[in-house]
Amino acid sequence: MTAINEVRSKIEKIDHEIIRLIAERTDLADDVLESKRQEHRAINDDTQNHVVLDRATNIATERNLDSGAVKEIFEILIRMSIERQHELSGEGNLP
């Protein structure tokens, strides 16, 4: 295996792990929704969204990553979680 193929293989393994973690994070939407129902909270929590985004951008900065790009990724993750919670509550757009 050439050096580039070895690196690409490592990247592929990381990509699989990232997707596994995204799925794990999204699966937690059920637990989050149940807690929100018990506490009579709305699905979308702007305050918590800001906490998550601030945490992610701070960690990105500490790791010397593009915090703007990381923020965009986490905005997508938050949106996925909100959409999943809407689906689980019967308010989603998916069948």
Side-chain angles (χ1 to χ4, degrees):
M1 184 179 283
T2 66
I4 188 70
N5 287 340
E6 288 177 19
V7 173
R8 287 178 176 161
S9 178
K10 289 178 183 179
I11 290 171
E12 182 179 354
K13 288 177 185 176
I14 292 169
D15 289 347
H16 282 273
E17 183 66 9
I18 290 169
I19 292 170
R20 186 192 68 73
L21 290 169
I22 291 170
E24 184 178 332
R25 188 183 196 285
T26 303
D27 289 344
L28 289 171
D30 191 22
D31 297 334
V32 171
L33 178 62
E34 184 58 34
S35 294
K36 286 178 179 177
R37 282 180 173 160
Q38 290 174 4
E39 297 176 14
H40 305 289
R41 293 177 178 248
I43 287 177
N44 190 16
D45 182 345
D46 286 330
T47 302
Q48 180 61 21
N49 296 347
H50 288 293
V51 168
V52 172
L53 292 173
D54 287 346
R55 180 178 57 228
T57 55
N58 288 338
I59 294 168
T61 300
E62 291 170 8
R63 301 287 309 245
N64 203 26
L65 295 171
D66 180 342
S67 62
V70 169
K71 181 179 180 184
E72 289 178 30
I73 292 167
F74 274 81
E75 287 171 338
I76 292 167
L77 292 172
I78 289 168
R79 189 171 62 244
M80 289 173 68
S81 179
I82 291 169
E83 288 172 0
R84 180 68 179 146
Q85 290 174 57
H86 280 293
E87 290 169 19
L88 292 168
S89 70
E91 302 171 10
N93 295 326
L94 299 176

